[in-house]
Amino acid sequence: MSEEKTVSQNLMQAVCVNEAGELGVKHVPRPEPKDGQILLRVAATALNRADLLQKKGLYPPPPGESEILGLEASGVIADIGPGVKGNWMLGSKVMALLGGGGYAEYVAVPEEHIMPVPSNLDLHQAAALPEAWLTAFQLLHFIAKVKANETVLIHAGASGVGTAAIQLVRLCRAIPVVTTGSPEKLTFAEQVGAAVGINYKEEDFSEKVLQFTQGKGADVILDCIGGSFWEKNICSLAMDGRWVLYGTLGGKTADGDLFGKLLRKRGQLLSSLLRNRSLEYKAELVRSFTEQVLPHFQSTDPSLRPVIDSMFNMEDVEMAHQHMEANKNIGKIIIKIGTF
């Protein structure tokens, strides 16, 4: 009996991808925290489009990271590994940026990638923060270096990153302009704080951006679309503007005079991913976000808030993926992992 109990303690439930690319819950070895790591008992994780790509074999995890899907998680501290320097306590509610492993009951995380959960958020809400908010914060401040009063064009404005970016742009006293693909998403983005919303399926967003900015254009563009938007992006870009590419949902190629038109605007084409960054880079990003943004989830009026579209149980994860693939979500899709 004791041997069976030991085996059970060494296993956990996790969502795994089979050879057909289908998701299912299986028992797998439970991780042990290594030097400098904290073991998190997971309450919830959240979907990201990277999960959809990894499931199809198109976005493998960086070397050394878990093969299990999931780039963020919330939960409580279950164990503290050797060499941990912070004043972490067992049972504390935390959220974490992950290189993988979030779709499981336990995940081991470098302590520098963990943040305390704001007291006014529950663990399901907290699961919506790490990847989306840190991505938006990185794009705006580490990459684009946005300034007060600048106009920021945010594509996919009703997504998890989009709704986070709207609020972060407002926080630094800049002006968010967004594109979305439906009237419902436009209305929601404006409720979150967008100065103007544009339905890219019905209007030429570049014309609307130039109209809103009185011909100047956007100082910064956060672009997860890529190919299909390139020409309108350059038309929307202000002189000396910064176009930040962080996804290619609209294709990876661009036909036409991209470089010539960009050059005439003296535009900067920047690009960034977060998952394949170094542990040190992510640690600095988490530290900066914790100091500069996290307090505003409680102190700002109105306070910052994660936007949650829907919640699914762990065994219904395939349905959650289908919901995201259909582009139906406004904000984050949460997967409930553990019972707390």
Side-chain angles (χ1 to χ4, degrees):
M1 177 68 94
S2 60
E3 286 185 9
E4 291 180 2
K5 187 174 181 180
T6 300
V7 170
S8 177
Q9 288 176 340
N10 291 334
L11 295 176
M12 66 175 181
Q13 286 191 313
V15 175
C16 299
V17 185
N18 66 20
E19 293 181 356
E22 299 167 334
L23 300 174
V25 178
K26 294 183 178 180
H27 282 92
V28 301
R30 172 176 156 177
E32 294 291 334
K34 299 176 183 177
D35 189 66
Q37 289 186 334
I38 287 175
L39 185 68
L40 183 65
R41 183 162 71 94
V42 177
T45 186
L47 265 65
N48 292 280
R49 292 205 173 266
D51 302 343
L52 306 184
L53 295 173
Q54 182 175 336
K55 181 178 69 172
K56 297 173 182 176
L58 301 176
Y59 191 32
E65 296 289 358
S66 172
E67 295 284 340
I68 297 170
L69 303 181
L71 300 181
E72 55 198 332
S74 64
V76 299
I77 294 177
D79 196 5
I80 298 173
V84 169
K85 299 176 182 177
N87 190 27
W88 302 101
M89 299 188 64
L90 294 176
S92 296
K93 295 180 179 179
V94 295
M95 50 192 179
L97 178 68
L98 309 174
Y103 288 27
E105 291 181 312
Y106 290 88
V107 64
V109 192
E111 66 166 321
E112 297 90 351
H113 298 178
I114 286 179
M115 300 171 281
V117 174
S119 60
N120 59 331
L121 299 183
D122 63 32
L123 286 172
H124 292 145
Q125 292 172 311
L129 258 71
E131 177 71 17
W133 282 79
L134 286 166
T135 293
F137 181 73
Q138 178 207 201
L139 298 174
L140 289 167
H141 294 286
F142 281 38
I143 308 300
K145 303 188 186 303
V146 67
K147 304 179 185 67
N149 300 316
E150 288 191 319
T151 298
V152 181
L153 173 59
I154 303 164
H155 292 313
S159 66
V161 173
T163 53
I166 292 168
Q167 296 177 72
L168 290 172
V169 169
R170 285 293 186 190
L171 185 63
C172 68
R173 299 186 302 281
I175 305 162
V177 175
V178 306
T179 67
T180 72
S182 74
E184 295 78 16
K185 290 183 177 182
L186 280 184
T187 299
F188 191 87
E190 290 171 350
Q191 290 173 349
V192 173
V196 63
I198 306 161
N199 187 335
Y200 69 88
K201 293 181 179 179
E202 297 180 352
E203 303 177 285
D204 183 334
F205 70 79
S206 63
E207 292 181 1
K208 291 294 182 179
V209 169
L210 292 174
Q211 180 182 338
F212 177 76
T213 58
Q214 298 181 326
K216 178 187 175 184
D219 301 288
V220 173
I221 300 175
L222 301 189
D223 180 22
C224 58
I225 306 299
S228 62
F229 274 13
W230 79 264
E231 196 159 15
K232 291 178 182 177
N233 275 336
I234 294 179
C235 289
S236 303
L237 195 65
M239 192 67 71
D240 298 310
R242 290 95 74 200
W243 171 13
V244 183
L245 180 69
Y246 70 100
T248 55
L249 295 174
K252 299 178 181 178
T253 61
D255 295 326
D257 187 21
L258 188 157
F259 294 122
K261 292 184 176 183
L262 186 63
L263 187 59
R264 286 190 285 275
K265 287 284 185 82
R266 299 197 301 266
Q268 298 180 49
L269 177 54
L270 307 166
S271 65
S272 183
L273 293 174
L274 180 53
R275 188 182 192 183
N276 63 359
R277 294 281 188 174
S278 68
L279 297 180
E280 294 76 16
Y281 180 96
K282 292 178 182 177
E284 176 59 23
L285 181 65
V286 168
R287 185 193 64 77
S288 297
F289 181 85
T290 300
E291 293 176 356
Q292 298 175 32
V293 178
L294 208 54
H296 294 282
F297 281 90
Q298 299 175 83
S299 64
T300 305
D301 186 22
S303 60
L304 302 179
R305 63 185 179 97
V307 176
I308 295 176
D309 172 83
S310 52
M311 294 192 193
F312 291 81
N313 293 323
M314 191 179 189
E315 59 269 24
D316 298 323
V317 64
E318 189 67 61
M319 292 172 55
H321 274 233
Q322 291 170 5
H323 186 64
M324 176 173 274
E325 287 170 343
N327 203 29
K328 294 179 179 179
N329 59 300
I330 296 176
K332 296 289 285 187
I333 300 169
I334 303 300
I335 304 296
K336 295 183 284 186
I337 302 293
T339 302
F340 286 75

